[in-house]
Amino acid sequence: HEFAGYLGGLQAIDSGVTALLDYAHIQWGEDRALASARGLQASGIAGWFGYQMSHTPTYGPGDTVPMAQAVAEQSAMADEAHFRTATALARDVFTDSSAPLRLGLCMSNGAYGAEIGLVKAELDRLRAFGVGLIAAHNQRGDRQAPAGHFGARGRGIADLRDAGLLGPDLHLSHGNGLSDEELHMLADTGGMLCSTAMGEFPYKARGLPASIHGRARAAGVAAGIGIDVGVALTQDYFEHVRAAFWSLYLDPEGQRLAAAYTSQDVLDFATRTGAKAIRIGDQAGTISVGKRADLVLLRTDR
C-alpha cells in the first residue's frame, strides 16, 4: 500500500501534475490506510489524501462472496473503525496543516440515499476534524430516494442545501445530470466538482448524461479533471484534458460551449480552474507572485 501510494504520486508528477485529490477507496484497515498516506506523502505530490469513510470489505483476493454482500459492504455508512482511522491519519501522518499534502475526508458511499439526518451527523463529524476538503460521490441510479433522504430531489443538492450542509469545503465527484439549478447552488456556496471525463464516456451507453465538466465551468463551479479508473485508463493527464474537451461534443449544450472555447479556455480548465477545484487556487494553478510553482527553464536566452 505504501509503494502504491508512492508510485501513484510519482506517476502524477511524471504526467505534469503537481497537486491532486487522491480519492482513497477501500483502505482495508488502519495500517493500510496509514501506509497509503505515507507513500503518497513521500512522493512529494501536493493536494489531498482523501480517506474514504466506508467500503472496508470483509473478503479479500481469492474469496468468493455473493454479489448482494459485496454491494451491501460497498454501500455501507461509516462505522467507528473509519473514524478511528481518520483520527490516526490526522495524529500520525498529517500533522502539519501547512504542508503541501493534507488530509481530506470522503463521505461514505452509503450517505447517498440515506436519511438526511444521518447524512448531517456524518458530515458534522467529518467537519469536526477540521480538514479543508470533504469529498463525496454524486451518482444515483434510476430511482429517486424517498422524501427526507439525500437524493430525494434531483441529485440531492437541494437536500443538502436545505439541511445547511453545502459549503466551500464540499467536493463532488462526477455529478452527471446535475441540473442548472443544482449547479448554481454549488456555485453560490463555493462547492467544487471533479469530472472524470474519459471514464465517463461509457456512461452514454448506459443512458446516463455525459460529463458535466463544461456546464459546471460555465455555471461558475470550479470543475477539475479526474482519472477515475486508474488501473484501466492512461495516467497521461493531458489525454484526460483532451477527453474533457472532446466530451463537450456529446450533447447539444456542450457543443454550444465548445464553439465558443479558445485555447485559453482549455489552458484555464487544465490549470487555474483545476487548482480551484481542489481548493488550492490561492496557492497554485497560475504563475503568480506568492504562489507555489514548479518551473523548468528550457532556455535562458530567449
Side-chain angles (χ1 to χ4, degrees), residues 195-276:
S195 290
T196 63
M198 185 182 289
E200 290 164 2
F201 267 88
Y203 287 19
K204 294 288 286 185
R206 293 158 49 195
L208 297 172
S211 171
I212 200 171
H213 187 275
R215 288 182 54 231
R217 182 173 178 268
V221 177
I225 304 166
I227 291 181
D228 201 4
V229 191
V231 297
L233 301 177
T234 176
Q235 302 297 312
D236 184 346
Y237 173 67
F238 293 95
E239 288 304 312
H240 293 275
V241 172
R242 291 186 180 95
F245 175 73
W246 290 118
S247 69
L248 293 171
Y249 290 93
L250 292 176
D251 58 53
E253 185 171 3
Q255 293 168 28
R256 179 181 59 80
L257 293 171
Y261 266 38
T262 65
S263 297
Q264 186 63 37
D265 288 296
V266 180
L267 176 64
D268 176 80
F269 77 61
T271 56
R272 185 186 68 88
T273 306
K276 288 181 64 179

Side-chain angles (χ1 to χ4, degrees), residues 178-195:
L178 284 171
S179 67
D180 290 342
E181 181 183 10
E182 289 174 315
L183 286 172
H184 288 304
M185 291 178 198
L186 286 176
D188 289 345
T189 54
M192 302 158 285
L193 190 76
C194 174
S195 290

Side-chain angles (χ1 to χ4, degrees), residues 49-289:
F49 177 82
Y51 170 64
Q52 189 183 24
M53 306 289 288
S54 70
H55 202 175
T56 305
T58 59
Y59 53 89
D63 293 340
T64 301
V65 299
M67 180 59 75
Q69 176 187 338
V71 171
E73 293 185 10
Q74 180 183 11
S75 303
M77 296 285 286
D79 59 29
E80 291 305 315
H82 295 111
F83 285 99
R84 286 194 296 271
T85 297
T87 297
L89 286 164
R91 181 191 63 228
D92 300 336
V93 183
F94 298 102
T95 57
D96 182 0
S97 61
S98 64
L101 185 70
R102 289 175 283 170
L103 176 65
L105 295 172
C106 303
M107 293 173 62
S108 64
N109 277 335
Y112 196 85
E115 195 273 320
I116 199 67
L118 295 176
V119 177
K120 184 179 187 306
E122 180 174 297
L123 263 175
D124 286 348
R125 288 190 71 179
L126 297 185
R127 284 172 167 150
F129 279 90
V131 299
L133 187 140
I134 304 291
H137 275 89
N138 186 254
Q139 290 286 65
R140 68 166 174 81
D142 297 330
R143 292 182 296 178
Q144 294 285 151
H149 290 64
F150 179 21
R153 292 171 290 172
R155 297 289 180 177
I157 306 305
D159 304 318
L160 296 180
R161 179 201 59 189
D162 291 352
L165 298 177
L166 295 180
D169 59 350
L170 188 63
H171 179 284
L172 301 180
S173 291
H174 305 301
N176 299 58
L178 284 171
S179 67
D180 290 342
E181 181 183 10
E182 289 174 315
L183 286 172
H184 288 304
M185 291 178 198
L186 286 176
D188 289 345
T189 54
M192 302 158 285
L193 190 76
C194 174
S195 290
T196 63
M198 185 182 289
E200 290 164 2
F201 267 88
Y203 287 19
K204 294 288 286 185
R206 293 158 49 195
L208 297 172
S211 171
I212 200 171
H213 187 275
R215 288 182 54 231
R217 182 173 178 268
V221 177
I225 304 166
I227 291 181
D228 201 4
V229 191
V231 297
L233 301 177
T234 176
Q235 302 297 312
D236 184 346
Y237 173 67
F238 293 95
E239 288 304 312
H240 293 275
V241 172
R242 291 186 180 95
F245 175 73
W246 290 118
S247 69
L248 293 171
Y249 290 93
L250 292 176
D251 58 53
E253 185 171 3
Q255 293 168 28
R256 179 181 59 80
L257 293 171
Y261 266 38
T262 65
S263 297
Q264 186 63 37
D265 288 296
V266 180
L267 176 64
D268 176 80
F269 77 61
T271 56
R272 185 186 68 88
T273 306
K276 288 181 64 179
I278 55 172
R279 210 181 182 190
I280 61 168
D282 59 339
Q283 305 167 26
T286 59
I287 301 172
S288 307
V289 174

Side-chain angles (χ1 to χ4, degrees), residues 1-6 27 29-41 49 89 93:
H1 276 65
E2 186 164 352
F3 179 73
Y6 179 67
Q27 302 294 316
E30 182 178 310
D31 57 338
R32 299 188 186 189
L34 267 65
S36 296
R38 289 188 174 110
L40 189 67
Q41 190 179 60
F49 177 82
L89 286 164
V93 183

